Amino acid sequence: MATVEHLPALVDFLQQAWQDGALPEAAAFPFELALDEVFMNVVMHGTTTDGPSREVSVVLRHDGANVTMVMEDDGPAFDPLSLATPDVDAPLEEREIGGLGVFLVREMMDEVSYAHTGTHNQLTMRKVVS
């Protein structure tokens, strides 16, 4: 379920998978940031106060030097990659609110893609970690 209370369990899952895979500890941060940002976007924007909580799944794959994290939710179709790139060079008082989390995910990962499959949003993030 996509509620704030479930974020710590997802972070524990990621950290345990990282440890079980004997992955480099220093390479975990981009995935932790992405998990937090994407999950919280689903919680804040993909749910309604009068509707059911959204289902979210996270799959982590390690194949050779690559780690791929796939986050899927059953919220309304939304491609976060369609958001305009924020102007990070603008003075703080002139910057638009929002969009910085997706920007950071895109910057920290080697590859990010979105697909809407059936009734689900699917965001795939890949990074070379070793």
Side-chain angles (χ1 to χ4, degrees):
M1 296 295 224
T3 62
V4 173
E5 294 79 18
H6 290 99
L7 182 58
L10 286 172
V11 171
D12 288 345
F13 160 76
L14 177 66
Q15 290 172 344
Q16 188 63 52
W18 213 263
Q19 189 175 30
D20 292 348
L23 298 167
E25 189 174 322
F29 179 74
F31 288 91
E32 291 174 358
L33 177 102
L35 177 68
D36 185 88
E37 288 295 332
V38 175
F39 181 76
M40 289 309 298
N41 280 344
V42 172
V43 169
M44 292 171 32
H45 305 294
T47 59
T48 60
T49 55
D50 59 345
S53 295
R54 298 296 177 196
E55 293 289 328
V56 175
S57 68
V58 179
V59 175
L60 198 65
R61 290 189 301 267
H62 175 233
D63 55 349
N66 297 302
V67 172
T68 302
M69 181 166 63
V70 180
M71 294 187 68
E72 189 171 294
D73 70 82
D74 63 350
F78 176 70
D79 179 359
L81 304 179
S82 68
L83 296 172
T85 302
D87 183 0
V88 295
D89 295 322
L92 286 176
E93 60 276 359
E94 294 176 17
R95 292 186 194 181
E96 296 288 326
I97 295 174
L100 202 52
V102 172
F103 170 77
L104 289 172
V105 169
R106 292 174 91 169
E107 290 294 307
M108 297 182 88
M109 293 292 172
D110 293 327
E111 183 180 320
V112 182
S113 62
Y114 169 82
H116 189 260
T117 57
T119 59
H120 289 84
N121 296 296
Q122 188 176 72
L123 192 65
T124 302
M125 297 155 279
R126 185 190 61 78
K127 184 167 185 65
V128 176
V129 298
S130 57

